[in-house]
């Protein structure tokens, strides 16, 4: 179940991103499961209220609804592969990041977090140390 939830989130959040971008999005979700401020499971993190645009937009969360051509199918399969890799614990692109957003967005919380960097069209953040 974790694999399906993670692959779905990666595909819906980062389907147009390079593979490293997919890995980083997946790692943020897994990082959240290891942080006491967030739920303990991948599926709970993915479907937590108001956390990810893809699960709060009122549109289908079934990735197969968005596979319309070979490129979409390849992106979905890459998302499944990325989710598998992230869940194996071998990904270390954004080891402390718990937040990300597309470069086209400017969320209020981004000013309160430490910027970790950019991969593809996403910017990654970690909560500032106290």
């Amino acid at each position: 179940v974790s694999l399906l939830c993670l692959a779905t989130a990666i595909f819906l959040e980062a389907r147009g991103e390079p593979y490293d971008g997919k890995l980083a999005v997946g790692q943020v979700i897994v990082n959240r499961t290891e942080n006491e401020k967030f739920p303990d499971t991948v599926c709970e993190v993915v479907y937590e209220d108001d956390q990810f645009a893809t699960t709060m937009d009122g549109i289908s969360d079934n990735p197969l609804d968005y596979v319309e051509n070979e490129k979409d199918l390849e992106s979905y399969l890459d998302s499944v592969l990325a989710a598998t890799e992230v869940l194996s614990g071998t990904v270390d692109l954004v080891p402390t990041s718990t937040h990300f957003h597309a470069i086209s967005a400017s969320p209020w919380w981004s000013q309160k977090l430490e910027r970790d960097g950019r991969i593809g069209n996403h910017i990654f953040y970690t909560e500032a140390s106290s």
Side-chain angles (χ1 to χ4, degrees), residues 17-74:
E17 293 300 296
Y19 190 70
D20 279 355
K22 290 177 175 66
L23 290 172
V25 165
Q27 188 173 13
V28 165
I29 292 166
V30 170
N31 288 350
R32 285 185 174 205
T33 68
E34 298 166 358
N35 184 307
E36 64 187 29
K37 293 181 180 181
F38 298 97
D40 295 333
T41 71
V42 168
C43 291
E44 288 173 329
V45 166
V46 168
Y47 291 100
E48 185 178 16
D49 286 344
D50 298 329
Q51 294 300 304
F52 296 100
T54 57
T55 57
M56 62 182 214
D57 60 8
I59 300 172
S60 173
D61 296 336
N62 181 346
L64 299 181
D65 288 344
Y66 304 96
V67 174
E68 298 177 357
N69 54 49
E70 194 169 320
K71 184 176 179 180
D72 293 339
L73 179 59
E74 182 179 323

Side-chain angles (χ1 to χ4, degrees), residues 72-103:
D72 293 339
L73 179 59
E74 182 179 323
S75 183
Y76 178 66
L77 295 175
D78 278 351
S79 297
V80 172
L81 185 61
T84 303
E85 195 172 339
V86 169
L87 289 171
S88 77
T90 60
V91 176
D92 196 28
L93 291 171
V94 289
T96 61
S97 296
T98 54
H99 293 73
F100 68 87
H101 66 78
I103 60 170

